[in-house]
């Protein structure tokens, strides 16, 4: 059993922290909305604190899963930040999808305090968090990763170190780039099938047995065909992630023309009121203009 803090109880963090309790760890949580932290503590028989500093104080491992770079800084840095409360030798694990730059920034600050740090963004969405089957992409020193990995296994089916601090975030960018292309391809395929008068169910039944098969096809085609888009990762979040990837691409010189185009397609979905729809809602943009 480890003494653990978990900071950030959104749709991902809430169940992830719960899995830590179920695996026997002593868990204290913090959330910006204290009522949600109190509800978590009641549900999982854990503890909560009203500041990141207090939640992190005396813990062996501190996990954080918040919205973006600025959220990370506000939770980790400063008088009431978690890093100010952590003891030397403790380990900070960041599950936020953020920039590689902020990972390196936080890693450097942690090092001055004798705190280990890994950036460890996750993939698998809300369902993956709830079912404890997330994929975790990690950047940081091998020894720190080796120490934290058994704790993270409480909610992961794959946990892999990709390199130094920042490598986890860079790998998550690759993940989101690939997903964007697959979702757009599936949206166009379903749009074409409907326009051609085909039976979407039968089409997918056939092509999913071949090279066109994907996680998105298996898990999203039915809701897409029905025009239902309330089943996962929100468009607002995807645009945040693609923006991070496009910014990094401008710095490293990589060419992402398809990603940039799909980012604009998601902007169209937002403009249509789909900010909180899931990422499969790219089909809604095509169907709106179908004759």
């Amino acid at each position: 059993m480890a003494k653990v803090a978990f900071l950030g109880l959104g749709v991902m963090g809430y169940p992830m922290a719960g899995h830590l309790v179920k695996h026997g760890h002593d868990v204290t949580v913090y959330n910006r909305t204290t009522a949600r932290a109190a509800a978590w503590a009641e549900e999982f028989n854990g503890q909560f604190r009203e500041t990141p500093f207090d939640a992190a104080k005396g813990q062996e491992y501190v996990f954080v899963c918040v919205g973006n770079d600025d959220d990370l800084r506000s939770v980790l840095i400063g008088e009431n930040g978690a890093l100010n409360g952590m003891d030397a030798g403790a380990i900070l694990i960041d599950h936020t999808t953020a920039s590689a730059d902020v990972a390196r920034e936080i890693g450097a600050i942690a090092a001055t305090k004798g705190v280990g740090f890994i950036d460890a963004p996750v993939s698998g969405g809300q369902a993956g968090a709830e079912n404890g089957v997330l994929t975790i992409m990690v950047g940081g020193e091998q020894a720190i990763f080796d120490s934290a990995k058994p704790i993270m296994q409480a909610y992961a089916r794959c946990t892999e170190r990709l390199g130094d601090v920042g490598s986890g975030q860079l790998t998550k960018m690759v993940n989101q780039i690939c997903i964007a292309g697959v979702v757009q391809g599936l949206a166009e395929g379903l749009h074409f099938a409907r326009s051609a008068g085909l039976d979407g169910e039968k089409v997918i039944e056939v092509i999913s047995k071949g090279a066109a098969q994907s996680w998105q096809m298996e898990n999203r085609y039915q809701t897409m065909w029905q025009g239902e888009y309330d089943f996962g990762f929100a468009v607002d979040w995807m645009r945040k992630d693609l923006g991070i990837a496009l910014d990094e691409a401008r710095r490293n010189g990589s060419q992402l023309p398809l990603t940039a185009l799909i980012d604009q397609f998601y902007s169209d979905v937002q403009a249509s009121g789909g900010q909180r729809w899931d990422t499969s809602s790219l089909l809604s943009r095509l169907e709106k203009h179908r004759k």
Side-chain angles (χ1 to χ4, degrees):
M1 182 182 74
K3 287 178 60 60
V4 172
F6 203 106
L7 317 177
L9 300 175
V11 296
M12 302 292 288
Y14 195 102
M16 291 164 73
H19 284 297
L20 291 170
V21 173
K22 293 172 186 176
H23 279 71
H25 301 298
D26 179 5
V27 183
T28 300
V29 300
Y30 161 81
N31 193 66
R32 184 167 50 188
T33 305
T34 304
R36 186 165 174 83
W40 182 93
E42 182 175 356
E43 179 177 349
F44 292 101
N45 195 29
Q47 307 169 74
F48 74 95
R49 298 290 184 269
E50 294 191 3
T51 71
F53 176 95
D54 290 331
K57 192 171 181 61
Q59 308 292 353
E60 299 170 85
Y61 300 89
V62 175
F63 296 82
V64 57
C65 188
V66 291
N68 55 38
D69 290 20
D70 290 339
D71 292 335
L72 266 178
R73 293 187 181 99
S74 70
V75 168
L76 297 179
I77 303 170
E79 184 177 353
N80 286 317
L83 276 169
N84 216 32
M86 294 178 69
D87 298 329
I91 292 177
L92 174 63
I93 301 101
D94 176 26
H95 287 313
T96 307
T97 296
S99 69
D101 285 346
V102 80
R104 298 182 189 110
E105 174 188 334
I106 291 166
I109 295 170
T112 67
K113 297 177 178 293
V115 171
F117 173 74
I118 55 176
D119 58 298
V122 303
S123 180
Q126 183 176 348
E130 291 172 349
N131 295 321
V133 291
L134 293 169
T135 295
I136 308 179
M137 299 151 265
V138 180
E141 295 180 13
Q142 185 70 50
I144 297 171
F145 169 72
D146 290 342
S147 177
K149 182 177 179 179
I151 315 297
M152 294 188 288
Q153 294 292 78
Y155 42 76
R157 66 177 174 186
C158 176
T159 307
E160 190 68 44
R161 176 182 175 269
L162 284 307
D164 295 334
V165 168
S167 299
Q169 297 297 353
L170 292 170
T171 303
K172 180 61 183 288
M173 294 174 208
V174 175
N175 187 78
Q176 302 305 75
I177 290 165
C178 293
I179 288 174
V182 171
V183 175
Q184 177 63 19
L186 178 58
E188 291 186 15
L190 291 174
H191 174 64
F192 180 91
R194 197 189 303 275
S195 298
L198 295 171
D199 182 323
E201 293 272 351
K202 289 184 177 179
V203 168
I204 296 299
E205 182 181 353
V206 171
I207 70 171
S208 65
K209 302 300 189 295
Q213 195 276 339
S214 68
W215 185 96
Q216 300 293 336
M217 181 178 290
E218 181 179 341
N219 291 276
R220 291 288 179 263
Y221 90 88
Q222 287 181 321
T223 52
M224 291 171 74
W225 192 254
Q226 299 300 322
E228 300 170 354
Y229 304 115
D230 298 317
F231 300 93
F233 194 69
V235 168
D236 280 351
W237 300 339
M238 186 59 152
R239 284 216 73 204
K240 184 264 289 186
D241 290 359
L242 294 181
I244 292 171
L246 291 166
D247 286 345
E248 186 68 35
R250 282 187 281 271
R251 284 193 290 271
N252 68 25
S254 52
Q255 303 297 308
L256 303 180
L258 181 60
T259 304
L261 182 61
I262 296 170
D263 180 57
Q264 290 306 302
F265 292 165
Y266 277 125
S267 177
D268 293 344
V269 175
Q270 288 176 316
S272 297
Q275 298 93 331
R276 306 301 296 178
W277 292 347
D278 70 67
T279 52
S280 70
S281 57
L282 284 173
L283 178 58
S284 70
R285 177 183 170 275
L286 299 171
E287 294 287 86
K288 185 169 65 174
H289 300 295
R290 189 169 67 88
K291 295 180 180 180

